Structures are given as structure tokens and as C-alpha cells.
Amino acid sequence: MSRVLTVGAAQTGPIQLADTRADVVERLVALLRQGADAGCDLVVFPELALTTFFPRWWVDDRADFDHFFETEMPGPDTKPLFDEAARLGVGFHLGYAELTPDGHHYNTAILVERDGSPAGRYRKVHLPGHHEHEPWREFQHLERYYFEPGDGFSVFGAFGGIVGMAICNDRRWPETYRVLGLQGCEMALIGYNTPVHYPPDPSQDVLQGFHNGLVLQSGAYQNGMWVVGVAKAGEEEGCLLLGESSIVAPSGEVRARCTTDGDELVVAECDLDMCSNYKDTLFNFSYYRRPEAYGRITGQAGVEVPDNVTSALEGDDGTRDR
Ligand code: CDT
């Protein structure tokens, strides 16, 4: 049986504060229809695809921002997307802010099958930015204030393959892809909102596109999986977000990439069987990996320079020799 999936990376342009959910869902439905016309089995939307990237603002009372969160999925505003997807027979991946019935807030993505049935849900693990209001920044990045972290990376049997999800900052961490890869992941879906300006170190601004390609491509290659990275791009409320949504093959090669900062669909034929070219050879995990040498990966979070190294570098007075 063919395991070639036609996948659309459905980048969106900016979503402004004044845009309603209905406005946004209309744009997503238009992209979905383009995907259907292009023969897509699956259309991948960005992180927090229903609203502006609200963690760029501080509010004293977090509850004042609960209106950015979805309390049901689908809800009345998002049901047209689900209905159209089922009518067209196209599955989709969608990022949104989730508020659970018991009051928990997550940065979430869902996967929906071609018949409209739910295939999986993921809550973002790596929450970037800061907890407190930092007025020196041009804009805030308060994901650590508005969201709780999710508890892990799962894969799902969907679209005839093994599919995983991650969200934005997760894509910068090799552990994300490896934990998915260790579960046989053949395609990772990753939405993002990446400000081009990085206030703690502006020297990284010109490298944003390079770093995006670097992590998507290395994650794909080192784990023998397809990676679909999809941006919300363009200038959103004065903050420029990176585009360059890409579909990357298990070889690490880019098979499709957006060239605008607006709503744009790019499509690639993704042969899931190509994963075995890498998973069964150079990256045959069970044959080559040495988990006994990797204890630090799960045993510690921060850097711990071994004592013998510290003392070799320090003079008796505790200062460095050179
Ligand atoms: N949305 C998101 O995770 N963005 C981050 C910005 C990092 S700077 C605070 C990213 O890794 O692209």
C-alpha cells in the first residue's frame, strides 16, 4: 500500500487584535480548500493559529486574557473548519490556546483525521520567554506566565503512519525529535510564531531564518522523519514574525518552503517509507545508540561542570589561571 502523503504547510500571515475568530477561520478554510485542490491529505496550520500572539503583552490579571483561549474544540467559531475538512476529506493540524474545564491553560495543537475524527492532542513542553513583566523589552514573551507546560511527547497512528507533534520553541531542542523518533515517529508537525527580534541577544535577529532551517533539517535527518514546520508570519501588532514555513524530508532536504510573509500554502509529496532509508541504516537506533552513555540527558537539566574540571581550571585562590 502506498504511504505517500500529500501534505500542505498552510502558513498564515499576521492575525491582528481586531480580527475575529470568524475572520481567521474563514482564512483557514480558504487555505484548506487550496489544499484540497492540490490533493492534500493533510494541511498543517501554525501555533496559536486562531488569534494574535497574545503573550507579547502583559496584563496584571491573567484572566483578562482568557478570551484568547478555546474552552471547547471544536467550538461554535471553529466548527466551520472541522465541517469543511470532513466535507473535503482533508485532515488538519491546528494550534490554539486551550483552557480546560478545570481551569488549566495550555499552548496546544490537535490533529484531525480526514473524516473529521480526532487523531491526537499535544500540549507544548518547552515554554520560552519569561514569567514576569519586563518593561525593557520592545515586546514581551510571556508564555511562561500564560501557559502551563505539557507533560511529554506522544505519537499517534494517523494518516497511515506514525505522526508526532511539537510546538514552536520545542523545535530548537534535539530532545523533542529524539523522544518522538524513539517512538517511531515518521512525520513531526510543528507550528510556530517566531519574532525576528530576540531582545536578550539581538545579534541572533539576522540568523532567525538560518536557525529555523538548521533545527528543522537536523531534527528530520538525525531521526529519519519528515518535519513540517509552519509559521504565523509577517508583522503582527508591530512585531515581525519569521515565515519560511518548510517541509523537510528524512534526508534533511527542504522539499517545499514558503517565500512570502502572508497566507501561503506549499505542498510536498511525503513518502513515509523514505524514513526507513535513515531509520534502518545510519540512524538504526537499536543497533547504534548507547543510552548507557546518555544518562545526563534525563538526569539533569542545567550544566554541571565536573569538579575535577573546575579545579583544574582554577588556581588555589579560586581564580582562573588564564
Ligand atoms: N512561540 C515560540 O515558542 N517562540 C519562540 C521564541 C523564542 S524567544 C522568546 C521560538 O523559539 O521561536
Side-chain angles (χ1 to χ4, degrees):
M1 190 189 95
S2 161
R3 295 207 309 139
V4 179
L5 281 183
T6 305
V7 177
Q11 176 176 289
T12 70
I15 297 174
Q16 311 301 347
L17 205 48
D19 295 338
T20 65
R21 293 283 205 291
D23 295 333
V24 175
V25 168
E26 217 175 285
R27 285 166 59 186
L28 301 184
V29 166
L31 285 162
L32 193 75
R33 288 183 181 144
Q34 276 182 47
D37 290 344
C40 287
D41 299 290
L42 168 64
V43 166
V44 182
F45 294 114
E47 173 193 34
L48 299 177
L50 298 171
T51 64
T52 193
F53 190 77
F54 61 87
R56 75 169 63 90
W57 294 294
W58 170 264
V59 277
D60 288 333
D61 184 353
R62 281 185 294 184
D64 287 347
F65 270 11
D66 277 356
H67 62 93
F68 287 116
F69 287 74
E70 309 302 312
T71 53
E72 48 181 342
M73 189 55 70
D77 293 325
T78 44
K79 191 155 183 310
L81 179 66
F82 283 72
D83 290 346
E84 188 63 0
R87 190 184 75 76
L88 296 168
V90 179
F92 67 93
H93 161 102
L94 176 74
Y96 63 98
E98 177 193 11
L99 175 53
T100 67
D102 52 348
H104 294 284
H105 297 72
Y106 298 105
N107 187 341
T108 297
I110 45 160
L111 183 61
V112 176
E113 265 286 7
R114 287 166 278 217
D115 63 359
S117 60
R121 183 187 63 201
Y122 166 71
R123 292 169 173 157
K124 187 173 183 176
V125 167
H126 297 99
L127 296 176
H130 46 109
H131 278 103
E132 307 290 336
H133 188 209
E134 297 188 2
W136 61 269
R137 292 173 183 258
E138 265 173 54
F139 49 83
Q140 305 294 297
H141 198 108
L142 288 158
E143 287 195 60
R144 300 175 76 86
Y145 178 59
Y146 292 113
F147 301 120
E148 296 163 60
D151 59 7
F153 298 97
S154 304
V155 294
F156 306 93
F159 299 89
I162 304 175
V163 181
M165 292 183 274
I167 299 179
C168 195
N169 189 259
D170 289 326
R171 78 194 190 287
R172 301 187 192 274
W173 300 91
E175 293 87 346
T176 297
Y177 305 92
R178 185 48 52 92
V179 171
L180 289 173
L182 284 166
Q183 298 171 83
C185 184
E186 295 173 307
M187 178 174 285
L189 311 176
I190 311 178
Y192 58 91
N193 283 250
T194 292
V196 170
H197 177 49
Y198 181 56
D201 177 17
S203 75
Q204 296 181 28
D205 296 2
V206 294
L207 300 172
Q208 289 292 355
F210 167 68
H211 287 155
N212 184 52
L214 185 69
V215 294
L216 296 177
Q217 292 178 251
S218 54
Y221 168 65
Q222 291 171 341
N223 296 279
M225 63 171 76
W226 289 87
V227 173
V228 184
V230 183
K232 171 137 67 65
E235 192 169 322
E236 198 176 79
E237 304 291 346
C239 175
L240 182 62
L241 300 171
L242 181 75
E244 304 190 17
S245 303
S246 305
I247 301 177
V248 183
S251 57
E253 295 165 290
V254 175
R255 288 293 170 84
R257 177 175 278 166
C258 287
T259 54
T260 73
D261 274 355
D263 291 7
E264 180 182 354
L265 182 88
V266 292
V267 176
E269 305 274 300
C270 305
D271 184 355
L272 299 182
D273 287 335
M274 185 185 173
C275 297
S276 59
N277 293 12
Y278 293 85
K279 287 186 190 294
D280 295 347
T281 60
L282 204 60
F283 295 112
N284 181 334
F285 287 173
S286 59
Y287 195 70
Y288 293 115
R289 286 185 78 251
R290 298 288 306 278
E292 68 277 16
Y294 310 149
R296 287 183 185 277
I297 298 283
T298 54
Q300 69 190 64
V303 174
E304 292 174 24
V305 179
D307 288 346
N308 62 321
V309 173
T310 308
S311 44
L313 289 171
E314 285 176 354
D316 286 343
D317 62 356
T319 57
R320 292 206 166 184
D321 286 340
R322 61 183 133 262

